[in-house]
Amino acid sequence: MTILIENTRTGRKEVFEPRNDPVRMYVCGMTPKDLPHLGHAFMFIHMDVIRRYLEYSGYSVHHVQNFTDIDDKIIDRAIKADRDPMDWSQEHTEAYFKVMDRLKVLRAHEFPRVTESIPAIIQDVQQLIRSGHAYVTSTGVYFDAGSFPTYGELSGRTSDDGLAGARVAVDEEKKDVRDWALWKVDSTGPIGWESPWGRGRPGWHIECSTMIQETLGSHIDIHGGGIDLVFPHHENEIAQAEAATQETPFVSYWTHTGLILTDGEKMAHSSGNFTTVTDVLSKVAPDVLRLYLLSVHYRSPLHFSALALQQTKTGYERLLGVLRTRGQDESPDNNALSKSGLEIRKTFESSMNDDFNTPRAIGAIYEFGRTINRLAPTSSVTNVTEAKNIFIELLEVLGITLYEPETNSSNIEPYINMLVAVRQQLREANKWDLADQIRDDLADLGVIIEDTADGTDWRLA
RNA sequence: GGCGACGUAGCCAAGUGGUAAGGCAGGGGUCUGCAAAACCCUUAUCCUGGGUUCGAUUCCCAGCGUCGCCUCCA
């Protein structure tokens, strides 16, 4: 079974053949300047599923994800809030963990931070200057794009024609408009480190190149991030890393996730039109949000819609319903369900093998749920349990752990049981009005009553 | 201006050169004291106009529309 991954660099689906064991995977993390929004959730959840699926497929994965915990925006935001920039980014780094843990995004094995990588960054910049790929000006150190012949390959900007009408700030000292800062000299700012070029801080792109080399080495198998990072960030990362190490290509597979759109435009901190993850999680369970975000292919844009989210919630409740399905004690074992389980696993895997097609995989899981419900009345308890285990296992690969809402105070249970028992007596006495009244009243309190052939079940809404 | 993505049912969303997964909603049933849950049946010819082909929603061209990158961005 081979896995195909669409590689941004080539624009094609390629057979996944990692060069490293464990697989080296780097995901561009957040600049912790504000709370994580749905766009972050989309990217990190899809990257999480890629990692989970590789692990499901038998690979070991070494996953590294950075925090760009100091940059111009963080400093701006902190100053405006009259806060220390380091505290500000630390606070938002913690917010990231809090939210992503709730979303069951597996933690990376390492989380390098810019502020902890300054010496290595300075070394890398020195190395780039020595090798003629960078030069010093009065404002800092710049990478010389012209010194890297394949600059622009990732994003398809192989010539500088495209920059003609671009809004690029003019800097007289820069040799080329494409050049970018590796080190920004800043003698008076609130945050700075000493360097051979004066007190200052790293430019935006160099940190990723450095931290990748520090944690994973000169070659990695998978590099992920949002598609808005392709240019210039990832383009520059390639130039910096490959110019320094001569390792080409330093990334085997570039994977980029589509953007979340809201009100017809990209969700972003900078434009202010973002919905925080925490906000959404106050309305739906983490699993529902995951299911919603995974119901679109990772490369596609997603127009956030509160209506679609609600629709997903209803669908999710159907998945939960599958867990309540029971086989028949007196039914003999038969292989109908296990056969279906094998088929569904195959469909699931072929979907995921095809560039991690989560929407198709989810479709297969829904179908399997329906099959379980349909066959349960004529299947043994063992058959149904086995099928449900596959159902649960496949959802787990997507990071979705089905669970019933917890009874927050377990001592309400005897009272509900008592009401159910009383209601049962009323039903046996044909006092339907009273029995229905109890059912309705409990429903108002968030307790769902369902009468089945085997008796009455209840659960919390 | 340059580069790129997308346009599939009421909503969300897969997919294929030979008449289109799945979810939600709707309609009709089965089951149930009623209901709920569950199950069954049912609801699209794929933006427009050309072209290639025996045949295109799927390939090519043009147009219209939406979005992204080129500045910070996941």
Side-chain angles (χ1 to χ4, degrees):
Chain A
M1 204 70 105
T2 54
I3 296 176
L4 296 178
I5 301 185
E6 185 169 332
N7 185 352
T8 307
R9 193 168 57 83
T10 59
R12 273 195 284 271
K13 286 182 190 172
E14 298 171 1
V15 175
F16 180 58
E17 290 170 329
R19 272 166 49 185
N20 308 289
D21 182 19
V23 171
R24 297 178 187 169
M25 178 171 181
Y26 183 86
V27 176
C28 261
M30 277 189 74
T31 299
K33 61 176 178 290
D34 207 329
L35 299 173
H37 63 235
L38 286 176
H40 299 115
F42 183 80
M43 195 278 275
F44 291 121
I45 284 174
H46 274 282
M47 288 297 153
D48 181 55
V49 168
I50 288 176
R51 169 180 162 186
R52 285 172 185 262
Y53 186 68
L54 291 177
E55 289 174 344
Y56 168 86
S57 302
Y59 293 101
S60 298
V61 178
H62 189 70
H63 173 198
V64 176
Q65 184 175 307
N66 70 294
F67 285 103
T68 300
D69 61 346
I70 196 70
D71 87 329
D72 297 4
K73 294 280 175 178
I74 290 174
I75 294 172
D76 289 350
R77 293 290 302 272
I79 288 173
K80 274 187 191 132
D82 196 24
R83 295 278 308 280
D84 175 70
M86 298 296 279
D87 289 348
W88 185 264
S89 66
Q90 179 59 31
E91 187 179 311
H92 290 96
T93 300
E94 280 159 19
Y96 166 88
F97 283 120
K98 200 171 163 191
V99 158
M100 295 302 154
D101 284 350
R102 285 184 71 191
L103 288 174
K104 285 176 294 203
V105 172
L106 295 175
R107 290 205 176 192
H109 300 98
E110 295 183 67
F111 287 100
R113 303 177 189 207
V114 177
T115 55
E116 293 168 359
S117 313
I118 302 292
I121 289 172
I122 289 174
Q123 274 182 24
D124 277 2
V125 174
Q126 285 177 311
Q127 153 74 14
L128 287 169
I129 293 172
R130 274 201 303 275
S131 57
H133 289 288
Y135 56 93
V136 181
T137 75
S138 64
T139 57
V141 182
Y142 289 85
F143 189 94
D144 181 356
S147 75
F148 189 71
T150 57
Y151 185 74
E153 195 183 75
L154 178 71
S155 56
R157 290 158 216 261
T158 45
S159 75
D160 52 6
D161 296 348
L163 290 167
R167 295 158 291 174
V168 176
V170 178
D171 180 339
E172 295 299 329
E173 287 191 86
K174 275 163 68 171
K175 289 190 193 172
D176 188 320
V177 287
R178 299 177 302 170
D179 297 352
W180 65 92
L182 298 172
W183 188 264
K184 295 183 174 184
V185 171
D186 178 2
S187 53
T188 59
I191 297 290
W193 292 266
E194 293 305 325
S195 81
W197 318 284
R199 183 178 182 275
R201 60 179 178 278
W204 175 33
H205 314 291
I206 187 66
E207 84 284 8
C208 277
S209 301
T210 297
M211 291 190 283
I212 287 172
Q213 286 169 51
E214 289 278 289
T215 57
L216 292 169
S218 59
H219 172 269
I220 63 175
D221 298 294
I222 296 176
H223 190 131
I227 200 166
D228 53 347
L229 294 183
V230 172
F231 188 92
H233 187 241
H234 291 332
E235 196 69 72
N236 295 357
E237 232 181 275
I238 290 175
Q240 291 158 350
E242 297 186 4
T245 66
Q246 309 298 314
E247 177 85 38
T248 305
F250 96 106
V251 173
S252 291
Y253 306 93
W254 283 96
T255 56
H256 289 104
T257 55
L259 303 175
I260 297 264
L261 308 172
T262 181
D263 299 326
E265 70 169 15
K266 179 175 130 180
M267 183 176 288
H269 281 152
S270 51
S271 50
N273 66 330
F274 62 93
T275 305
T276 66
V277 177
T278 309
D279 205 31
V280 174
L281 291 185
S282 69
K283 299 187 180 78
V284 299
D287 273 346
V288 173
L289 180 56
R290 265 192 97 104
L291 190 60
Y292 173 63
L293 297 178
L294 290 172
S295 69
V296 181
H297 185 79
Y298 77 91
R299 285 194 168 264
S300 302
L302 186 155
H303 291 82
F304 176 65
S305 149
L307 175 63
L309 183 64
Q310 277 309 117
Q311 293 177 340
T312 302
K313 186 179 178 184
T314 311
Y316 177 73
E317 278 158 12
R318 236 161 83 67
L319 296 179
L320 278 182
V322 175
L323 295 191
R324 296 195 295 270
T325 303
R326 295 257 172 280
Q328 302 303 119
D329 292 325
E330 59 276 16
S331 279
D333 288 350
N334 67 68
N335 64 6
L337 265 179
S338 52
K339 205 174 138 198
S340 172
L342 288 175
E343 280 168 12
I344 228 69
R345 187 188 289 281
K346 222 168 128 186
T347 304
F348 177 87
E349 289 175 359
S350 67
S351 302
M352 292 299 285
N353 285 340
D354 185 10
D355 198 28
F356 312 105
N357 194 325
T358 52
R360 214 159 75 199
I362 289 169
I365 289 172
Y366 269 107
E367 269 190 299
F368 190 39
R370 180 153 30 84
T371 302
I372 293 172
N373 284 333
R374 187 177 59 238
L375 297 182
T378 56
S379 298
S380 68
V381 171
T382 309
N383 287 149
V384 173
T385 302
E386 283 170 359
K388 285 203 293 191
N389 284 342
I390 294 173
F391 182 75
I392 290 165
E393 180 196 350
L394 297 183
L395 279 164
E396 186 68 42
V397 176
L398 302 179
I400 293 167
T401 315
L402 296 179
Y403 70 97
E404 296 282 7
E406 298 279 327
T407 307
N408 47 14
S409 60
S410 57
N411 53 16
I412 68 167
E413 214 171 304
Y415 299 98
I416 295 175
N417 285 336
M418 186 187 74
L419 283 166
V420 169
V422 169
R423 177 168 171 274
Q424 184 56 30
Q425 289 180 16
L426 291 169
R427 293 178 71 214
E428 281 162 10
N430 289 338
K431 295 186 174 169
W432 307 118
D433 286 354
L434 279 171
D436 291 352
Q437 181 74 48
I438 290 172
R439 183 172 63 198
D440 292 347
D441 288 351
L442 282 171
D444 289 343
L445 296 170
V447 179
I448 296 169
I449 296 292
E450 289 179 2
D451 298 321
T452 73
D454 301 326
T456 298
D457 291 334
W458 67 267
R459 63 193 157 88
L460 297 179

